[in-house]
Amino acid sequence: MDSTSEAVSPGLTRVEVAERVASGRTNAFVADTSRSAWSIVRANVFTLFNGIVFACFLVLFLVGRWQDALFGLAAFANAIIGCVQEFRAKSALDRLALMNAPRALVLRDGEEAEIAPVDVVLDDVLVLRAGEQVPADANILAARGLQIDESMLTGESDPVEKQPGDEALSGAVVVAGEGTARAIRVGAESYANHFAGEAKRFSLVSSELRSSVNRVLKWVSWIIGPVGLLVLNAQILVTGGYATVFSSGAWVQAVVNTIAALTAMIPLGLVLMTSIAFAVGASRLARRQVLVNELPAVEGLARVDVVCLDKTGTLTVGEIGFDEAHPLEGASSVQAAGVASALAWYAASPDANATARSMRAAYPVASSSVVRGYIPFSSARKWSAVSFADHEGTWVMGAPEMVFGDSATSAETELGRTVTALAETGRRTLVLGHSESPLSETDVDAERLPAELTAITVLTFREQVRPDAAQTLEYFARQQVGIRIISGDNPRTVAAIAREVGLDVEEGFDARHLPEDDTALADILDQNLVFGRVTPEQKKRMVTALQSHGHTVAMTGDGVNDALAIKAADIGIAMNSGSPATKAVARLVLLDGQFSHLPDVVAEGRQVIANIERVSMLFLNKTVYATLLAIIFGVFVLEFPFLPRQLSITDGLTIGIPAFFLALMPNAARYVPGFLRRSLSFAIPSGIVVALGLTWYSFVARGLGAHEDQLRTGATVILAVVGIWVLAVLSRPLNRFKVLVVGAMFVLLIAVFTIPLARQFFVLVDPGEDLAIALTGITIVMVAAIEIVRILHRRLVLDAPATRKTAVPERASERSASAARAWASIITTVVAVLAYAFGVLATAFGILVFLGRYDPEVSASAFSLAGAAIALFGLLVLAVAAGIRRGSGLSRLMLTMFLGFAIALSAVVLVLGDRWDWGAAVTVAVAAVIVVLLWTPPVSRGFGRIRESSMGAAAP
């Protein structure tokens, strides 16, 4: 039916268009909310800490000490990664384009013109046809069967029939008919660009890891200046005082020592490692068809405790699907026989809408029919009718209440009972009726139903639920993540979809009744799971209300109406089938639209959080002891015991390189808030142990009259050994990959202290026998103290209270099995204790062998390597002993291998030595006893399989 509100307008003239362009009343829209490239570079490069690091880097180059400037590489890498990360976010935001139609049709000077959407001006007459996107907000002037899909904007899944005087929103798509409309709002004032302005505001995703690291950097920034002056003063006084230091050139060493102290305080490696972990996580997710717009979003979903889901396009594929035909009693045999052909014609008709087209598979066309009279479907009257030349009567298909009135909902009629029961399941219902009277020309012109209609069958349709939706929601339920379904559709329909995907809900909450008060809104959100008739602004309010109750919220969607809520959420997730705006503002985009990828994202996020928490303890431990050393040596006016290059090698081999591998290993530990508190609760006491131990060593070394190179070498040895121990402690429970990492770092440290070229570069000298004995004793005390710190840290901070179980009487067979398990547990505990004792014994023995290098009658290099190797195996035995108590099959295998190596090395000492060595003999005996116990029943039955324990890392 044609309809028009006024005489057909010829559109604007060229002069009128020019006037509007000159006054800025065009559809051009550029939101100035994305950060500029310069601001991104400035934020990542010109920071306080980069300034300190680059200044120190430059000073060392200017004074000719480039060997001590290795730390600058971490700063350069971190700045580059940070810039790349934010440029990716900027690129996504700048690609935001709600108006993605390639052309717009307008009437100008009485003729149609094809122009770019940005060239539309206020009052332009728009020509709207099927498939076109509305380029600007407009009032309908004339319409012929005009239907517009506004689901991307409002959330309403049904197309809306437009009449003259109605408003068409920019960004909506014409799905049927044609018409003209006058542009009433253009540019930034249009409905779609209103969302663009809100959505394009730049904001980085909330990241506990990043905010925690930034907090540490802020703390250090407050003290680095005063501490730097304190250290510089001490180094100048130590090297001759202010009167002579500049004339003698000793100021260079004072500056180098100060720079060593300052750079050690900054956990630059932690920032770099966090960025690398994010980048690798994003790369892994990309292989699973998940695009990460901002790297910290990798960890974000692991912290989420409420997921808000849009229905259309998220839980469903956004398409209507035919469900079933429900025949009614009372139809004649002729009428029943004609149902299939009538439905086939409706499904195949040229102007069939999405609902009718969904029946094509169920009702294919068997033979063509000649139409005698036809009234097309209208969303206003919600029915259509057709008469065929070769069949008697008229077929009518439409909404039951619009075709049969009150009888379609009455409990007294079969039609009413059937329609009501089916509607309560959330399915959409249509009715197919038949009249013996054919359509007359008067009926067609008046769009009137034929007389004496009989209801033949009820047709049900349902939105196609994504096949992976139920499984994914079940996963979130197991992970204790709350679900809220938020849709612009009918609450009853939304509730039915929710039940179909496994949620236990009776009915949806109508958002039109939501309170304006945010506190009351948050309470309603805590009590209800499903919401319908939700506006875009309400979606955003609902997200912020959940956040006000302490929830970490993820929002998924695909329409422009979801953009504001996705932007406001902690983690925004968009389907690739969604609008460009939604994908641009989302943190994550599911490229193949598979909802089932979300568990993959959760797992990746958990791996990042758990592993970074583990390695953060390494870096923060260094920050703590470096800060304390700087303060102590500044207050006591002592020469700083390290060169920057010596700190670089110990940091690299005990922290930086192993942290890189540890940060990328599988780890399925569940997220627990309080990352920084847990990390500092270990880093602070362990850092105090290291600082006090090195201070103790410095006083002892000066008492023994050691010169500065000997003092620095001894301090480097202590820091290397203790650093390896801290690494091994934090790597527990060990698996084959962690053992390889820890062992490789130990071997590399031995190489640094043994290879002449490396010793020369890092200024490592022989500390002498007395100083070697002293540093060995101090190292043992420090290692023991750190082990105590870790035990207390696990018991008081990491371990959750054990869940109490209700006592259940045991049967006789169960008591027998329990007794056997208890006996095996006792023996396993004894084996673990022996393993700990052996580890201590082997480590001490290795150190004693190492000290044998000072015997003038033996080969120093041979004893150095043998002692270092025995000490390495002793440390590794200590590291895997914890897994023995838990029944780890991999720990049993690795312990057996280490014990075998230790037996072989001790045997070499016994054979090659010129006298009987009781230490080696005891080592061989104890190791042999432990191996026998490990592989003798019933102890062997208490260990798991090797593969099961190889990668099952627990929480840090």
Side-chain angles (χ1 to χ4, degrees):
M1 182 178 69
D2 295 338
S3 57
T4 182
S5 62
E6 59 182 71
V8 177
S9 171
L12 300 178
T13 65
R14 293 183 181 179
V15 174
E16 291 171 330
V17 170
E19 290 176 352
R20 285 161 174 75
V21 172
S23 60
R25 291 177 290 174
T26 71
N27 208 32
F29 174 74
V30 179
D32 56 354
T33 48
S34 179
R35 297 209 302 177
S36 66
W38 168 244
S39 66
I40 291 176
V41 173
R42 185 174 65 245
N44 285 279
V45 176
F46 299 99
T47 64
L48 173 62
F49 284 98
N50 281 349
I52 294 172
V53 172
F54 289 141
C56 295
F57 186 84
L58 181 61
V59 168
L60 290 177
F61 262 89
L62 293 177
V63 299
R65 298 291 287 271
W66 60 269
Q67 304 95 327
D68 292 313
L70 300 178
F71 60 84
L73 299 178
F76 280 114
N78 185 58
I80 291 172
I81 291 176
C83 286
V84 170
Q85 169 187 341
E86 294 197 28
F87 272 122
R88 287 191 61 186
K90 170 183 167 57
S91 176
L93 293 170
D94 289 344
R95 287 196 303 269
L96 179 61
L98 291 177
M99 305 314 305
N100 59 353
R103 61 192 180 92
L105 288 176
V106 296
L107 282 176
R108 289 183 178 175
D109 291 323
E111 296 181 356
E112 285 190 11
E114 186 176 297
I115 62 175
V118 295
D119 293 331
V120 173
V121 300
L122 189 67
D123 297 326
D124 249 332
V125 175
L126 311 175
V127 179
L128 305 177
R129 295 195 179 105
E132 301 287 344
Q133 188 176 38
V134 182
D137 293 356
N139 276 337
I140 302 297
L141 300 178
R144 177 181 172 82
L146 182 63
Q147 295 185 15
I148 295 180
D149 179 3
E150 297 179 338
S151 61
M152 283 290 185
L153 300 167
T154 64
E156 288 279 3
S157 56
D158 292 327
V160 180
E161 183 165 345
K162 296 294 184 179
Q163 299 295 334
D166 292 345
E167 190 171 296
L169 301 177
S170 56
V173 178
V174 179
V175 294
E178 60 183 7
T180 57
R182 186 181 303 280
I184 58 173
R185 288 186 298 271
V186 294
E189 295 180 357
S190 68
Y191 187 83
N193 287 334
H194 164 71
F195 285 109
E198 290 285 331
K200 285 189 69 173
R201 290 178 184 159
F202 183 89
S203 64
L204 286 174
V205 64
S206 172
S207 166
E208 184 184 7
L209 294 182
R210 183 176 57 196
S211 61
S212 298
V213 172
N214 288 341
R215 196 179 313 161
V216 172
L217 294 177
K218 183 178 180 181
W219 293 341
V220 175
S221 69
W222 284 99
I223 64 173
I224 196 167
V227 170
L229 294 176
L230 181 65
V231 173
L232 180 60
N233 175 70
Q235 301 313 299
I236 289 177
L237 294 178
V238 167
T239 53
Y242 287 94
T244 60
V245 69
F246 293 104
S247 59
S248 64
W251 64 271
V252 173
Q253 190 58 51
V255 169
V256 171
N257 291 347
T258 302
I259 289 176
L262 294 182
T263 54
M265 292 170 57
I266 305 174
L268 282 172
L270 178 57
V271 181
L272 176 62
M273 205 56 58
T274 303
S275 297
I276 291 175
F278 284 156
V280 173
S283 176
R284 288 172 176 166
L285 289 174
R287 291 196 293 270
R288 297 173 184 160
Q289 297 299 302
V290 179
L291 173 65
V292 180
N293 275 344
E294 290 185 45
L295 295 184
V298 174
E299 66 142 308
L301 200 55
R303 297 187 290 107
V304 165
D305 59 4
V306 174
V307 177
C308 296
L309 305 170
D310 177 51
K311 176 184 69 69
T312 305
T314 303
L315 292 180
T316 66
V317 296
E319 298 177 0
I320 197 73
F322 176 69
D323 178 51
E324 192 176 355
H326 306 267
L328 300 173
E329 295 180 0
S332 65
S333 58
V334 175
Q335 290 173 330
V339 168
S341 60
L343 293 178
W345 184 89
Y346 272 114
S349 64
D351 59 348
N353 58 21
T355 303
R357 288 196 299 269
S358 67
M359 298 188 297
R360 288 179 177 176
Y363 297 99
V365 176
S367 60
S368 59
S369 299
V370 178
V371 176
R372 179 177 178 179
Y374 176 50
I375 302 176
F377 178 83
S378 164
S379 60
R381 61 176 182 273
K382 298 187 183 302
W383 59 265
S384 64
V386 63
S387 294
F388 301 110
D390 51 350
H391 298 284
E392 294 183 359
T394 301
W395 292 98
V396 178
M397 186 172 74
E401 65 274 14
M402 301 300 289
V403 177
F404 291 96
D406 293 339
S407 64
T409 56
S410 174
E412 299 179 358
T413 64
E414 183 190 6
L415 173 63
R417 291 190 297 270
T418 303
V419 168
T420 302
L422 293 172
E424 288 177 351
T425 66
R427 286 176 283 184
R428 300 183 184 185
T429 58
L430 293 179
V431 65
L432 180 68
H434 185 267
S435 171
E436 298 296 338
S437 303
L439 286 176
S440 65
E441 292 184 6
T442 304
D443 292 334
V444 173
D445 292 337
E447 295 184 347
R448 184 173 57 203
L449 285 168
E452 299 180 356
L453 270 173
T454 301
I456 305 300
T457 186
V458 175
L459 308 168
T460 52
F461 303 82
R462 66 171 71 238
E463 289 188 77
Q464 296 182 20
V465 176
R466 292 183 181 273
D468 54 356
Q471 179 183 357
T472 304
L473 293 187
E474 181 184 358
Y475 169 83
F476 281 124
R478 292 197 306 269
Q479 302 300 319
Q480 299 179 342
V481 175
I483 298 295
R484 301 292 184 274
I485 298 181
I486 303 173
S487 174
D489 229 332
N490 186 290
R492 178 178 293 178
T493 303
V494 182
I497 295 294
R499 290 192 294 271
E500 189 171 343
V501 295
L503 293 184
D504 185 15
V505 294
E506 293 184 2
E507 58 183 17
F509 191 98
D510 194 325
R512 290 174 294 186
H513 302 145
L514 287 175
E516 293 298 324
D517 180 67
D518 288 342
T519 302
L521 175 61
D523 293 336
I524 290 177
L525 285 165
D526 286 339
Q527 299 165 7
N528 296 271
L529 300 181
V530 175
F531 299 84
R533 302 299 185 198
V534 185
T535 66
E537 291 77 8
Q538 284 178 321
K539 288 187 179 185
K540 179 181 178 181
R541 282 189 60 220
M542 294 168 84
V543 168
T544 55
L546 287 168
Q547 291 170 330
S548 70
H549 272 203
H551 293 293
T552 303
V553 182
M555 175 72 196
T556 70
D558 68 338
V560 177
N561 61 304
D562 302 316
L564 294 183
I566 285 177
K567 188 68 175 179
D570 297 281
I571 296 294
I573 306 165
M575 300 293 176
N576 195 42
S577 58
S579 70
T582 309
K583 290 185 287 186
V585 301
R587 316 297 188 183
L588 304 171
V589 180
L590 305 183
L591 295 178
D592 56 2
Q594 295 298 314
F595 197 46
S596 57
H597 287 316
L598 292 187
D600 294 335
V601 180
V602 172
E604 199 68 46
R606 286 180 173 177
Q607 173 176 315
V608 169
I609 290 179
N611 286 338
I612 291 299
E613 179 171 336
R614 189 191 303 274
V615 302
S616 71
M617 297 182 194
L618 290 171
F619 289 102
L620 295 179
N621 167 263
K622 185 193 98 166
T623 296
V624 171
Y625 74 66
T627 302
L628 290 177
L629 282 177
I631 295 174
I632 292 172
F633 279 66
V635 170
F636 288 96
V637 192
L638 300 174
E639 184 173 5
F640 196 72
F642 300 102
L643 293 173
R645 74 189 79 172
Q646 292 169 341
L647 285 175
S648 295
I649 191 61
T650 56
D651 290 350
L653 294 182
T654 65
I655 301 176
I657 296 176
F660 175 81
F661 291 101
L662 292 178
L664 303 180
M665 286 183 176
N667 195 327
R670 292 188 64 176
Y671 166 75
V672 179
F675 153 76
L676 186 59
R677 178 184 61 83
R678 290 192 300 273
S679 297
L680 290 177
S681 62
F682 173 80
I684 291 177
S686 62
I688 292 174
V689 168
V690 175
L692 294 180
L694 288 171
T695 303
W696 178 18
Y697 162 77
S698 295
F699 280 108
V700 170
R702 282 172 172 77
L704 294 175
H707 58 77
E708 61 181 22
D709 285 342
Q710 287 180 315
L711 184 147
R712 290 173 181 151
T713 299
T716 304
V717 170
I718 292 176
L719 192 57
V721 174
V722 174
I724 282 288
W725 183 255
V726 171
L727 173 63
V729 163
L730 294 178
S731 297
R732 297 173 187 166
L734 292 178
N735 55 43
R736 54 181 173 270
F737 297 105
K738 294 178 184 176
V739 168
L740 180 62
V741 171
V742 175
M745 296 306 104
F746 194 93
V747 170
L748 288 175
L749 281 173
I750 292 174
V752 169
F753 285 96
T754 304
I755 298 175
L757 185 61
R759 290 166 58 90
Q760 180 181 356
F761 180 83
F762 291 106
V763 195
L764 301 173
V765 300
D766 195 330
E769 184 173 1
D770 293 338
L771 191 57
I773 295 174
L775 70 88
T776 300
I778 293 171
T779 301
I780 292 174
V781 173
M782 293 170 66
V783 165
I786 287 175
E787 189 67 31
I788 294 172
V789 168
R790 183 56 170 173
I791 292 173
L792 294 176
H793 181 248
R794 278 197 171 278
R795 291 183 179 274
L796 301 179
V797 180
L798 298 184
D799 291 344
T803 303
R804 295 184 178 181
K805 298 182 180 179
T806 305
V808 178
E810 292 183 332
R811 300 175 182 176
S813 59
E814 292 175 342
R815 286 196 297 271
S816 176
S818 297
R821 287 194 298 270
W823 175 243
S825 177
I826 292 173
I827 298 178
T828 304
T829 302
V830 171
V831 172
V833 171
L834 288 174
Y836 275 117
F838 174 81
V840 173
L841 175 65
T843 303
F845 176 63
I847 294 174
L848 290 175
V849 173
F850 180 82
L851 294 178
R853 70 195 302 276
Y854 297 108
D855 188 337
E857 298 180 2
V858 301
S859 170
S861 59
F863 265 67
S864 294
L865 293 176
I870 294 174
L872 167 63
F873 290 122
L875 289 172
L876 292 176
V877 167
L878 280 171
V880 300
I884 296 297
R885 185 66 184 85
R886 291 190 296 271
S888 167
L890 181 64
S891 293
R892 179 174 65 154
L893 176 63
M894 290 193 298
L895 181 58
T896 302
M897 294 171 56
F898 298 155
L899 292 173
F901 285 128
I903 290 172
L905 290 171
S906 299
V908 170
V909 173
L910 287 173
V911 172
L912 298 181
D914 56 353
R915 58 183 181 273
W916 180 258
D917 194 313
W918 282 103
V922 172
T923 299
V924 171
V926 173
V929 170
I930 296 175
V931 170
V932 171
L933 288 175
L934 282 174
W935 295 92
T936 301
V939 176
S940 62
R941 289 194 293 269
F943 289 95
R945 291 184 297 179
I946 294 174
R947 288 185 178 276
E948 291 179 351
S949 58
S950 63
M951 296 300 293

